[in-house]
Amino acid sequence: MTAPQSAAPERTFRSVAPVIALCWLVVFFDGMDVNIYGAVMPHLIDDKGFGFTPSTAGTIGSWTTFGMLIGALGCGTLTDWIGRKPMVVGSVALFSLGSAICALAPSAAVFGAGRFIAGLGLGGLMPISLAIVAEFAPKRRAALATGLMMTSYHAGGMAATGLGLALGPDHGWRVVFWAGVVPAVVAIPLVVKWLPESPGVLLNKGRASEAEAVAARYLLPSPTLAEAPEAGAKGRFSAVASLFTPGQRLATPLLWIASFAGLLLVYGVSTWLPELMRASGYSLSSSVTFLMVINAGGIVGMLVAGRAADKFGAMRISAIWFLLTACGAFLLKAELPLGVAYVIVFVTGIWLFSAQVMVYASAPSVYTPAQRATGLGWITGVGRTGAVVGPWLGGAVVSGGNASLGFTTFAVAAVLGAVAISLVPLVRRSRRNPAVAGESTGDSTGTESQAPIVLGHKEGKILPKH
């Protein structure tokens, strides 16, 4: 009689803590850099010698998000060439360089160039970090690991607000942007020393022994060559065309619209909330503090939304969250006592940021495993156009001197997102594809997808369905 084999050790949060902690750190600096602009916006506009107007500020905010669009679309291909770890290092270096250029900028045009360069790094960092956490997270805990990592973005936003409040009034906005150079000094050495490369990337580069060593160290499954899509332009076109086959042809543009609306809200509000609140009659310090409060709500929302989506479905939660965001924006049109306004901004933050994340979580129920990499890539890519439009639109509205119209604009965007994501299950009801994971059984739980799909072309894993 043979002795029973001992069970293989299971991957836990403790065993992968260094990986998740490093991703948390770099995304913290990502959130800090994105929100620094909004935190110092009132000081920039008040600096009459620099030539900033609300219209100029909105345009430059869109330069940042346009850089993020290019960074997000290019990160997959660059990852194929150089790997995830170098992409993290390069992304942090780029947005730190952008902050240094802003701190030294002699004119608004040079300042805008700095924000564009920062956007290139910011756009590539988030999807890479999400992919790393999804790959290294404990089995069936990828959703929780992702939610925990995303809290760092909002913690970074709160840090940016604190820097704006502490340094902006007495030392000026340039000092705040110098703080944006800290990531290059702190995060890059830690990432170079401690962040492991993806075993899938190493294997696809022919470094099999290194891939096995990383997998063994972090208790990951032995890597296997993932299915790669057809190479070249023809392969890319075929992958995109597959998103419009029966069952997806209407759902795909609806997901794009929902992502567009969600990121218009995220980046429009992050850029313009302090100035909108100041235009509503609140003091300068109170107006900047609202940015910290809404990011605190975002931290809570990331932890709440995933659990709610596990129970009720990601599309339903996204739709409800968008509608609640619209209600919060409408309430802020009123002249509220300061304490009440803080409460409304906090709870709106709970809904606003996680409504967008739930759009991403809805993709696995729409696309087959073979389609999901391309589907998610285009959902995020098209959504980035909303990130470009949001700051520009906010600037156009604020230039008109009507803060109430600004809140109405963001409320309408939230309603648009709610309508779009709500229609996805309706348009698919008559054309269900049994190959899509979970649909044939009605499964809506947060089970872990085993299909190996890629960020770019070759390697990686998708986030599980929420």
Side-chain angles (χ1 to χ4, degrees):
M1 182 174 177
T2 59
Q5 288 185 330
S6 59
E10 199 167 303
R11 193 162 71 253
T12 64
F13 276 107
R14 184 174 182 178
S15 64
V16 296
V19 179
I20 295 177
L22 283 171
C23 289
W24 194 98
L25 179 66
V26 295
V27 173
F28 170 87
F29 286 128
D30 180 304
M32 189 179 82
D33 194 282
V34 169
N35 285 276
I36 273 179
Y37 188 49
V40 302
M41 180 76 69
H43 303 295
L44 278 164
I45 292 174
D46 288 346
D47 186 351
K48 301 303 181 184
F50 197 60
F52 249 64
T53 66
S55 178
T56 303
T59 300
I60 290 177
S62 291
W63 290 1
T64 311
T65 49
F66 183 64
M68 294 174 74
L69 169 62
I70 295 174
L73 293 176
C75 72
T77 300
L78 289 172
T79 300
D80 288 342
W81 291 343
I82 66 175
R84 289 179 177 174
K85 182 174 178 176
M87 274 296 296
V88 171
V89 172
S91 296
V92 174
L94 268 179
F95 69 73
S96 296
L97 173 63
S99 286
I101 291 172
C102 289
L104 294 168
S107 66
V110 175
F111 182 94
R115 291 306 291 165
F116 175 78
I117 291 170
L120 292 173
L122 295 167
L125 182 62
M126 183 65 77
I128 295 291
S129 300
L130 287 169
I132 292 170
V133 167
E135 182 174 7
F136 282 82
K139 191 176 181 180
R140 293 182 296 275
R141 306 300 294 276
L144 177 58
T146 301
L148 289 172
M149 188 198 76
M150 288 302 295
T151 63
S152 65
Y153 178 89
H154 301 288
M158 294 174 69
T161 308
L163 288 170
L165 287 170
L167 301 177
D170 296 328
H171 303 285
W173 57 267
R174 293 182 187 273
V175 174
V176 182
F177 277 101
W178 277 121
V181 181
V182 170
V185 178
V186 174
I188 289 180
L190 294 174
V191 169
V192 169
K193 184 172 179 62
W194 298 109
L195 185 68
E197 183 55 272
S198 161
V201 171
L202 293 171
L203 187 62
N204 282 326
K205 289 180 174 293
R207 296 157 62 181
S209 60
E210 292 178 59
E212 288 289 349
V214 172
R217 186 183 313 145
Y218 294 96
L219 305 177
L220 299 169
S222 293
T224 59
L225 285 172
E227 275 187 52
E230 186 181 350
K234 181 180 177 182
R236 291 180 180 274
F237 178 79
S238 298
V240 176
S242 73
L243 306 181
F244 294 89
T245 55
Q248 286 97 20
R249 64 168 54 115
L250 294 177
T252 291
L254 287 170
L255 287 170
W256 290 359
I257 292 169
S259 183
F260 170 88
L263 284 175
L264 185 155
L265 282 166
V266 168
Y267 287 93
V269 169
S270 294
T271 301
W272 284 108
L273 181 64
E275 194 63 24
L276 285 172
M277 299 307 288
R278 186 162 72 148
S280 297
Y282 298 96
S283 68
L284 175 60
S285 61
S286 296
S287 297
V288 175
T289 304
F290 281 114
L291 195 58
M292 181 180 288
V293 171
I294 201 168
N295 276 289
I299 292 175
V300 176
M302 290 298 170
L303 299 176
V304 171
R307 292 184 177 274
D310 285 342
K311 186 172 183 179
F312 300 108
M315 291 184 195
R316 184 174 298 159
I317 293 303
S318 181
I320 293 171
W321 262 227
F322 271 126
L323 288 175
L324 291 172
T325 299
C327 292
F330 273 122
L331 286 173
L332 289 173
K333 291 174 60 178
E335 295 183 6
L336 302 169
L338 182 61
V340 176
Y342 280 140
V343 172
I344 297 299
V345 168
F346 177 82
V347 295
T348 301
I350 293 176
W351 306 318
L352 187 155
F353 297 104
S354 48
Q356 169 64 24
V357 174
M358 290 300 101
V359 175
Y360 298 151
S362 301
S365 65
V366 174
Y367 300 120
T368 65
Q371 295 172 315
R372 287 176 191 165
T374 301
L376 271 171
W378 277 85
I379 289 171
T380 56
V382 173
R384 289 291 179 189
T385 62
V388 173
V389 170
W392 168 83
L393 185 61
V397 171
V398 171
S399 295
N402 190 342
S404 177
L405 181 58
F407 290 119
T408 301
T409 301
F410 290 133
V412 169
V415 171
L416 175 64
V419 171
I421 197 69
S422 296
L423 288 175
V424 173
L426 297 180
V427 300
R428 287 181 49 74
R429 191 163 292 165
S430 61
R431 289 181 176 269
R432 286 199 178 271
N433 185 344
V436 175
E439 285 198 351
S440 58
T441 61
D443 177 37
S444 64
T445 62
T447 54
E448 186 176 33
S449 170
Q450 300 301 316
I453 66 170
V454 303
L455 182 70
H457 294 216
K458 299 176 183 175
E459 41 67 38
K461 293 183 182 179
I462 194 167
L463 296 178
K465 185 171 80 170
H466 283 63

